[in-house]
Amino acid sequence: MSKNAIIAGLAAFVIAALFPFWFNLGGTDAAPEPELSAKAKAAGKCVLDKYDMRANHMSLLDEWRDAVVRDADRKYDAANGKQFQMSLSTGEDSCLGCHEDKEKFCDKCHTYASVDPYCWECHTTPKEINQ
Amino acid sequence: MKKSRRSFLKAAGVSALGIGVAPAIQAVASSGSTPAALAAKTKHPEALTAHRWGMVIDTSKITDEVAENIVHACRKAHNVPDLNHEPDPEKYPKTRPVNHNQEVKWIWEEHFESAFPDKEDEFLAERFKELPFLVTCNHCKNAPCVQACPTQATFKREDGIVLMDFHRCIGCRFCMAACPFGSRSFNFRDPRPFIEEINPDFPTRSKGVVEKCNLCAERLAKGLQPACADVSEGAIVVGDLEDPNSEVRELLNEKYSIRRKQELGTEPSVYYIM
């Protein structure tokens, strides 16, 4: 009698405790696919190589803004031989000058990863300027 | 196992050497191998540089029209909001009504007695009472705002410009209390609805940060004169105060000039030729 109740209780407990695992089974979203703009495709290369960019673009941006604002350096000679104007949002060869569509590029990953950089409170995107 | 004193000291010596050498080996192994370390950050060759940037304003050349052009050019260049601008209801549908007493100022017109309260006089030439005086951040040599800032968001750049790193501003407004010239403004609300036409070449600011004149650091970096000097028809000259052959020093040599609230000892870098 009490044995059955204990086993039923244990089973209920195990199911409840494993809730996060079975709840997420099979339900994962597909990995995001950021779209390269026509301009980026034509340029061919980013500032660092693709996987380095994926992993480190936030610290690269951090370095850039300190260099620009604090040291007054604005020109970046990348290791891959290309030159950039160190800027997130202004000018032709800034991040957004090349990756023109923030929604289809940056936001694709950011929404997936639940990151919401506050940069856009101040930095403008080509889209909002033209609207 | 029995250890002699001698063998113990040997072993201790070798391990101490190992500990000492490890950081050096690590440093050698990690330097120069990452792509970021191969990259170089430099100034553009055409950038304008100085030991200490300063500004000379020839008050006799500032007419109402010139003053207006200057203020407008600065607003345009830096997306400075105008709280009297009526926000576009389609783009910003939920904008609350504006308190028209709020202002955001980088360079603006002031009456003589407000710009130079210590020099006010009952019998001052009528001319001065009518003239528009343009005032802005003085980029002081001993800037009190820099000392007041708890996060080093406001700092003095090597070339004398008192600059703000908007990314670090926490909006505490100590700098506004410290500035004797009222050159700083606080964004009590999101400034974007109050910018007539957003200029893509400069970021806006956000609610909760302080802002002020940056002596057009972004234009100097491209080899351009500051926007105010550009449209001033010769009334504003910007140059190196520490270079005896610069245009600003020549002007200061030739003519009598004053600075605002000089007695406070902040050493303003903006001179007014009377």
Side-chain angles (χ1 to χ4, degrees):
Chain A
M1 209 344 233
S2 67
K3 187 174 148 202
N4 286 346
I6 288 172
I7 286 176
L10 265 181
F13 171 75
V14 168
I15 289 169
L18 293 180
F19 171 77
F21 295 95
W22 56 257
F23 185 74
N24 279 325
L25 263 189
T28 46
D29 295 336
E33 284 173 21
E35 263 174 54
L36 281 184
S37 65
K39 207 165 160 196
K41 274 193 193 131
K45 276 188 196 165
C46 196
V47 184
L48 311 172
D49 61 53
K50 186 172 171 180
Y51 295 101
D52 216 357
M53 269 328 272
R54 229 179 242 186
N56 296 324
H57 61 277
M58 18 336 207
S59 34
L60 179 75
L61 280 168
D62 195 28
E63 263 181 50
W64 276 20
R65 73 176 172 193
D66 278 353
V68 168
V69 180
R70 304 218 156 228
D71 308 331
D73 291 337
R74 292 191 182 234
K75 186 161 152 275
Y76 188 87
D77 295 299
N80 61 16
K82 294 190 93 182
Q83 287 188 350
F84 296 91
Q85 162 91 10
M86 285 191 268
S87 174
L88 172 59
S89 57
T90 63
E92 291 290 299
D93 56 352
S94 63
C95 309
L96 285 183
C98 196
H99 299 292
E100 288 169 313
D101 197 332
K102 176 170 92 73
E103 281 76 26
K104 288 194 182 136
F105 189 76
C106 316
D107 290 355
K108 275 266 173 76
C109 291
H110 292 167
T111 310
Y112 178 79
S114 300
V115 279
D116 188 11
Y118 75 119
C119 322
W120 319 114
E121 287 178 16
C122 300
H123 289 267
T124 53
T125 62
K127 218 181 200 175
E128 72 192 345
I129 296 293
N130 295 330
Q131 79 175 218
Chain B
M1 188 183 80
K2 195 161 178 266
K3 263 206 156 89
S4 74
R5 177 188 167 85
R6 187 182 160 79
S7 65
F8 170 77
L9 284 178
K10 262 194 210 157
V14 170
S15 359
L17 199 67
I19 292 171
V21 165
I25 292 177
Q26 250 168 18
V28 170
S30 65
S31 71
S33 58
T34 62
L38 290 172
K41 302 192 189 77
T42 49
K43 293 184 183 27
H44 291 293
E46 69 271 22
L48 303 178
T49 56
H51 297 288
R52 182 180 160 203
W53 284 108
M55 183 187 279
V56 175
I57 303 182
D58 190 336
T59 55
S60 66
K61 290 186 184 162
I62 303 252
T63 61
D64 281 317
E65 196 195 336
V66 171
E68 205 170 294
N69 287 346
I70 288 171
V71 172
H72 187 74
C74 175
R75 284 183 174 280
K76 190 104 193 59
H78 301 109
N79 285 319
V80 180
D82 174 1
L83 276 296
N84 285 317
H85 173 69
E86 229 18 85
D88 179 352
E90 264 178 39
K91 217 167 160 187
Y92 305 101
K94 287 196 191 123
T95 311
R96 283 177 293 112
V98 196
N99 173 356
H100 290 289
N101 292 327
Q102 287 178 17
E103 279 181 295
V104 178
K105 301 179 293 190
W106 284 40
I107 187 166
W108 71 101
E109 286 179 37
E110 201 72 90
H111 286 295
F112 182 84
E113 69 271 18
S114 319
F116 301 95
D118 50 320
K119 301 194 171 63
E120 221 255 316
D121 190 292
E122 198 182 344
F123 305 116
L124 192 75
E126 282 297 321
R127 184 166 75 88
F128 286 142
K129 295 194 174 150
E130 306 298 321
L131 272 184
F133 279 82
L134 282 175
V135 293
T136 181
C137 170
N138 280 295
H139 298 279
C140 305
K141 192 171 178 189
N142 306 320
C145 53
V146 172
Q147 289 168 33
C149 180
T151 63
Q152 289 173 20
T154 291
F155 61 101
K156 191 148 190 71
R157 218 165 70 167
E158 267 173 19
D159 57 7
I161 301 183
V162 174
L163 204 59
M164 279 193 70
D165 185 341
F166 294 101
H167 308 99
R168 287 182 76 150
C169 178
I170 55 171
C172 72
R173 287 171 272 170
F174 287 6
C175 55
M176 294 177 69
C179 177
F181 306 105
S183 298
R184 294 170 158 274
S185 311
F186 184 67
N187 284 285
F188 281 98
R189 48 192 299 165
D190 179 9
R192 282 209 181 163
F194 304 98
I195 301 168
E196 207 168 327
E197 195 183 338
I198 292 183
N199 171 4
D201 293 332
F202 201 80
T204 67
R205 266 69 59 201
S206 62
K207 180 175 169 180
V209 299
V210 171
E211 62 182 79
K212 70 165 195 74
C213 158
N214 67 348
L215 209 70
C216 284
E218 82 286 359
R219 288 174 60 95
L220 295 174
K222 290 189 216 152
L224 298 171
Q225 282 287 319
C228 55
D230 218 22
V231 300
S232 70
E233 299 171 21
I236 297 183
V237 179
V238 173
D240 190 350
L241 287 175
E242 282 183 14
D243 173 4
N245 301 319
S246 66
E247 195 184 346
V248 284
R249 281 287 291 278
E250 268 165 28
L251 282 170
L252 293 178
N253 262 341
E254 276 167 23
K255 304 200 174 136
Y256 177 69
S257 63
I258 57 175
R259 291 184 287 174
R260 294 178 70 197
K261 300 189 185 171
Q262 218 167 327
E263 71 282 4
L264 297 179
T266 67
E267 299 288 344
S269 305
V270 178
Y271 290 79
Y272 293 84
I273 292 180
M274 303 311 282

